[in-house]
Amino acid sequence: MRAFSYFLFGAVLFYIDSLIALIIPMHIGNKEIVFVPHLLLMYLLILTIYKKPSIAITLAIIFGLTTDLYYGTIYGLNTFGYLLFVVLMNYFFKVYYRDHAMIFLGVWIFTVIFEIYTALIYGLLGLIQFNFIEFILFRLVPTALLNLILLVILFTLTRKLIKKLTSTIDTKA
C-alpha cells in the first residue's frame, strides 16, 4: 500500500504538471514565454535520495512512458530522460542525503539540465527552431524560476509524505 501511495502522489503531480502547462503561457509582444513545470521529475529525484532508488526507477519508467504517450512528440525522450536523471541523481547526490539544502539545489539544477536536454533533442531532430539566446531568455529562465517556486512547495510535501509512509504505525512505546 505504501508503494501505491508513491505512485498515486506521482499521478497527481503528473496531472498538476499538465494543468500548469495549460494555464501559464504568456506573450510579450510577438514573443512567447514558455514555462514548463517539472513537478514529476523533481518528485522522482527527491524519491531517489530519500527512498530506495529502485522505487524511483520503477516510477520513472511508468511515468516516463505515460508522459511520452500522453504528449506523443518523441517516444522514449521522457522515459530515457527520467531514468538517466534518476540514476545520475543517485550517483552524484547519494552522499548528501542528510544535507537538505544540497539535495534541494541538486534537484533544481537537474531540472534545469533536463530542460536543456529536451530542447537539445528537439533541436537536433529539427522539431524546433533552436535559437540559443531566445531559448535562454524565453524558456530556460522562466522555467527555472517556476520550478524553483514549485520545488519549495514540493520538497516539503514530499519529505512529509516520505516521513509519514516510513514511520511505523503501531509501535509500542
Side-chain angles (χ1 to χ4, degrees):
M1 187 64 185
R2 290 178 185 172
F4 184 71
S5 299
Y6 294 124
F7 172 78
L8 189 61
F9 192 66
V12 168
L13 291 176
F14 175 77
Y15 181 70
I16 292 171
D17 266 349
S18 301
L19 284 178
I20 292 173
L22 290 174
I23 293 172
I24 297 189
M26 289 179 58
H27 295 281
I28 295 179
N30 62 349
K31 298 292 182 184
E32 182 180 14
I33 298 177
V34 180
F35 297 92
V36 182
H38 291 293
L39 284 169
L40 186 58
L41 174 66
M42 293 187 293
Y43 171 66
L44 292 172
L45 295 176
I46 294 168
L47 272 184
T48 302
I49 299 302
Y50 292 116
K51 290 303 295 175
K52 294 179 184 176
S54 61
I55 295 172
I57 288 173
T58 304
L59 291 176
I61 292 170
I62 292 169
F63 287 120
L65 288 171
T66 304
T67 305
D68 286 334
L69 291 174
Y70 183 74
Y71 292 111
T73 51
I74 301 173
Y75 294 116
L77 177 72
N78 289 306
T79 306
F80 177 74
Y82 287 176
L83 277 172
L84 175 68
F85 281 83
V86 162
V87 169
L88 288 174
M89 186 73 174
N90 184 45
Y91 183 75
F92 287 116
F93 287 92
K94 187 107 178 144
V95 296
Y96 297 112
Y97 72 95
R98 290 182 187 245
D99 188 2
H100 303 302
M102 191 65 181
I103 298 300
F104 183 91
L105 183 66
V107 168
W108 185 65
I109 289 171
F110 270 38
T111 304
V112 172
I113 294 171
F114 183 79
E115 187 62 29
I116 295 168
Y117 155 79
T118 55
L120 285 176
I121 298 295
Y122 285 142
L124 289 173
L125 294 176
L127 296 174
I128 60 171
Q129 199 67 295
F130 192 75
N131 182 346
F132 187 71
I133 301 299
E134 286 184 4
F135 170 72
I136 297 289
L137 292 176
F138 298 118
R139 184 171 178 134
L140 189 63
V141 171
T143 296
L145 292 175
L146 173 69
N147 284 303
L148 182 63
I149 294 167
L150 292 174
L151 183 58
V152 170
I153 300 165
L154 180 68
F155 196 75
T156 56
L157 288 176
T158 304
R159 288 195 48 233
K160 285 181 183 179
L161 175 74
I162 290 170
K163 188 181 287 187
K164 182 179 180 184
L165 291 176
T166 56
S167 65
T168 55
I169 296 173
D170 293 323
T171 58
K172 292 183 181 180

